[in-house]
Amino acid sequence: MTPFRADLHTHTTCSDGTYSPIELVELAVASGLSGLSITDHDTIAAYAEAVPAALKNNILLLPGVEFSAAHQNETVHILGYGFNLNSPDIQSLCNKHQERRTKRLQAILELLHKKRMPLDPSDLASVTSGHPASIGRPHIALAMVAKGYVSSFQQAFDLYIGEGACCYIRDPLFSVEETIATLHQGGGVAVIAHPHLIKNPRLLEQLLLFNFDGIEGYYGNFSLLDNQRWLKIAHQKKWLLTGGSDFHGKIKPTLPLGRSWVNRERFDLLSGYHAHLH
Ligand code: AMP
Ligand code: ZN
Ligand code: FE
Ligand code: FE
């Protein structure tokens, strides 16, 4: 019997991933996963397709999302799990993010236009499939590569749209407190995403004081040795421990689906399946 593995950090075409929700569910099954959470940036739109696909393909699907939040002018990613997919609080936060992203896109396109790198809706449409609920900077980067403005996806970030570059827009994000509270209102848990990537030690110190329920200890290509620090923190704080690949498909080809995962016990703790045992 294949051991139970659940990848709890994945993206679809509803944000900046390259697999549709159905394709992702099918790939998860083909990759030998027994559980999956789709954590698109600031949207839960994938679940409309993913829920029936998961039932059909006999894989356990845990509601998830990756919210962008701000703390002292720095962006923080917060994973949410196990919330009610019909929660008006969560839906409303997603809607506010969509408005923010649409406005930010316009502002970035204006800056790029001034730099003689115009992009029109058809340029963006050619790098997204359909209309992603969350349009993101990776889409802009792909369109810039397709137009020949930059030679690579990474160069688009380094020279133009990455944090601090000339066409970067820092738009107002919702606070960490507000994001955690919304996830709790929706019946879910709030988890610090990829602490491995937090470069500012003061930011990390402060995040650990918030009302989080868990931390993403197993992440992407990081080794078990790299993960030790986060496993220790989860243990000390009696927090949930989560894990996932951050699979995006073709835009991040070095991160295969299932690269990081959690076992059955951790999956059940998150989904509350075993609530009756406690
Ligand atoms: P957004 O949420 O639209 O601001 O896009 C954020 C995403 O862009 C992140 O999740 C990364 O995948 C990608 N990204 C941000 N900064 C960089 C960077 N400097 N280099 C490459 N990718 C980046
Ligand atoms: Zn992403
Ligand atoms: Fe992230
Ligand atoms: Fe992610």
Side-chain angles (χ1 to χ4, degrees):
M1 209 177 88
T2 15
F4 183 102
R5 289 183 175 190
D7 188 332
L8 302 181
H9 191 154
T10 66
H11 295 267
T12 72
T13 46
C14 292
S15 66
D16 54 6
T18 61
Y19 284 74
S20 74
I22 291 174
E23 287 165 349
L24 180 63
V25 166
E26 288 174 354
L27 180 66
V29 173
S31 310
L33 294 173
S34 309
L36 176 73
S37 183
I38 297 174
T39 52
D40 274 314
H41 298 285
D42 305 324
T43 176
I44 56 170
Y47 285 89
E49 273 185 21
V51 168
L55 281 172
K56 189 175 146 206
N57 287 277
N58 210 11
I59 182 169
L60 295 176
L61 184 67
L62 175 68
V65 65
E66 182 174 22
F67 279 125
S68 318
H71 185 65
Q72 295 180 349
N73 232 14
E74 293 204 59
T75 303
V76 174
H77 282 178
I78 299 177
L79 291 162
Y81 292 112
F83 47 81
N84 179 350
L85 287 168
N86 297 314
S87 156
D89 299 290
I90 299 214
Q91 197 50 63
S92 143
L93 182 56
C94 290
N95 293 345
K96 287 192 277 182
H97 271 290
Q98 260 72 96
E99 281 171 35
R100 167 183 80 78
R101 285 179 173 277
T102 308
K103 281 191 203 143
R104 183 187 65 160
L105 172 69
Q106 286 316 318
I108 296 175
L109 294 186
E110 277 168 34
L111 291 177
L112 289 173
H113 196 268
K114 281 191 192 136
K115 298 253 171 213
R116 297 176 191 280
M117 289 178 284
L119 291 174
D120 61 37
S122 69
D123 296 321
L124 283 164
S126 67
V127 296
T128 58
S129 63
H131 296 278
S134 278
I135 187 103
R137 283 181 289 155
H139 298 120
I140 303 175
L142 288 175
M144 289 174 76
V145 174
K147 292 285 271 190
Y149 297 152
V150 286
S151 57
S152 70
F153 180 84
Q154 191 56 45
Q155 199 180 50
F157 278 93
D158 293 344
L159 298 182
Y160 300 107
I161 58 173
E163 203 155 334
C166 60
C167 300
Y168 177 69
I169 296 280
R170 182 177 292 286
D171 62 344
L173 284 164
F174 306 98
S175 69
V176 171
E177 290 96 325
E178 205 177 344
T179 305
I180 297 175
T182 303
L183 285 165
H184 288 162
Q185 278 154 16
V189 296
V191 172
I192 300 178
H194 41 62
H196 314 64
L197 307 182
I198 299 175
K199 295 199 184 80
N200 177 352
R202 265 180 47 82
L203 173 64
L204 179 68
E205 226 171 81
Q206 292 181 17
L207 283 182
L208 292 174
L209 301 175
F210 279 105
N211 191 21
F212 282 105
D213 308 284
I215 187 162
E216 188 176 40
Y218 305 99
Y219 177 69
N221 284 325
F222 284 90
S223 69
L224 287 179
L225 194 65
D226 295 320
N227 294 335
Q228 278 310 317
R229 183 175 171 203
W230 316 113
L231 309 197
K232 227 166 118 185
I233 288 175
H235 183 74
Q236 278 164 358
K237 297 181 85 75
K238 297 194 169 57
W239 275 359
L240 295 160
L241 193 55
T242 76
S245 60
D246 208 0
F247 179 72
H248 279 73
K250 292 175 195 80
I251 68 161
K252 291 188 185 175
T254 57
L255 279 174
L257 184 64
R259 178 65 185 79
S260 282
W261 45 273
V262 293
N263 62 20
R264 178 83 208 220
E265 193 186 343
R266 298 206 181 285
F267 184 83
D268 286 351
L269 279 173
L270 279 162
S271 49
Y273 283 176
H274 282 181
H276 62 283
L277 294 177
H278 297 290

